[in-house]
Amino acid sequence: MNSTKKVLKSVFGYTSFRENQEEIIGAILQGRDVFTSMPTGGGKSLCYQIPGIILNGLTVVVSPLIALMKDQVDEARSKGISAEFINSTLSEDDSFRIYSDLYNSKVQLLYISPERLALDGYLDKLKEFNVSFIAVDEAHCLSEWGHDFRPDYLFLSKLKDKFPTTPIAAFTATATQKVQDDIIKLLKLKDPYIVRASFNRKELFYHVRNKSEVLSQIANYIKENPDKPGIIYRISRKDVEKTADYLQKKGIKAKHYHAGLTNNERTKNQELFNNDQIQVIVATTAFGMGINKSNIRFVIHGDLPKSMEGYYQETGRAGRDGLDSECILFYSPGDIVKQNFFINQIEDPTEQEKCKKNLNSLVKFATLNVCRRKQILEYFNEPYSQNCGNCDVCNNLTSKIEGTVDAQKILSAILRTNQSFGINYIIDIIRGADTEKIRSRNHHTIKTWGIGKDKDRHWWQGIITELIGQEKIYQDSEKYNILKITPKGEDILYGRDAFYINESTFTGKVNAKSREKLIDSTSGLDKILLQRLKDKRTEIAREKMVPPYIIFSDKTLKDMALLKPTTLDDFLLVSGVGEKKMEEYGPIFIPLITHL
Ligand code: ADP
Ligand code: ZN
């Protein structure tokens, strides 16, 4: 076994690397700069923690998440890694101890905030500690194109000047090329090893439901899933508070979170959630970056999000432990109207255009009869051809209506005009418009002219959007976006295949059939044992004053309940158990299993 694999098992308790981890670690150990874009939960932290353990000297981790640093450090220490953090919350005593440990080369991993690095002369001070590697977490904060731009991060451009031979690795969960280019340029990475991981989160089930009485819809979902921690996102602070109040009145342990609260209130509510002391947190998008809680089982959006990037980030907070989790979006056409109202007030025309585009892609996502996962991945330029089998569309849970005949009308109009015209012109033909353009081309004499008079423009627009979404036709971007028919479209046109549309594309009134409950992932396991293991974890967490997942993740406890280890050697086989945790917790947890 090579040394990285050994560390993976002995420190982290895992037997195999996830995709890309080994390559990233290898590149860092060879002294190369690295850029990594990987979805939330992909396993980025291990990619800098393992080099931190293996390399002689100090590994510096720059992270904007001050509120999270203590947890990150506790978590690393729980595995036997010598980790510390430096930020504005540190007491003088701790600070004194940490610097003395740094001078004595006793620290492997140092988490530090960008503000601290930006202090006058701080980089020179850092140079005294034999820095062997620098990791920049949440690196998209450097880019104005990202959604969390932080001016403090720009100071990180100086890292390469001060540490020209030290490898720097940037990590982000943002997928866009622009952000990637920005990060590489601003951090001055030299010939970086670039990893763009797949953004597919297989464990997430996406569904869109019709929004009617959203408060009771949300409450009902939570009542049906009483033990599962989850996040509820609402757009406005007012709705956040209203929703949290409503849930509390229904007896659900909920707190709210938005930028209008004081720092103290925010931290307190976040900690309650982290420590499993409340079930749900209702929040604006201010909540979230870097949430480390790994057992979030659902993320609900009570309103249409503003962009696919945001939606993807927010839903990505579910299922970080790799267990099945649900992402539910409540959609109503009324949300489009509301958002358009705000978009129309934006003064900068480019910004306004950008927001409209973003909104449009979300509307498509919510309404088209196309696999949700495919839509998300293609939005991030990742081709995805099959149906995922893990979303409402692929599981036939949406209300569909047949639109074969209407699709054939459109396809026929496209064909009879030699596949040379764009959307508006085709709709004009279908609706029998009497325009100069149509007459001059003699298109008022073709059979399909006026064949769709009975339905309005909006309807035909919807059919065309669905046809494009389902790849029956496409817009040729090199030729003024004229519509062309694909082989799949020909199958519809010639009656070899039927065409279904989502009812919500047109009316927004999906009678969402109640989805069969997800197969409870604990079925077959000994639930009593699992509960005992969880209780023990809570007890230890309280004693140590750390969040429970730092002791063991839910996934680890499930694995333990399944494997039922009765010796320390067997205990080490449980996923997520390394040597330190074996020694520390084996003797506590094994008796629960043997005395079952
Ligand atoms: P990210 O920082 O990319 O969002 P994390 O580093 O927090 O993700 O990892 C997410 C979860 O996956 C953590 O619970 C982590 O322990 C687990 N994990 C990481 N690498 C592996 C692996 N090779 N095998 C099993 N679990 C892993
Ligand atoms: Zn799907």
Side-chain angles (χ1 to χ4, degrees), residues 371-373 387-391 394:
C371 168
R372 313 272 185 211
R373 181 166 270 101
N387 278 353
C388 76
N390 201 27
C391 76
C394 292

Side-chain angles (χ1 to χ4, degrees), residues 46 199 217 222 229 232 325 426 491 515 517 520:
L46 203 137
F199 270 65
Q217 287 175 307
I222 299 172
I232 294 143
S325 306
I426 295 294
D491 286 346
R515 198 164 92 65
K517 279 201 155 185
D520 183 0

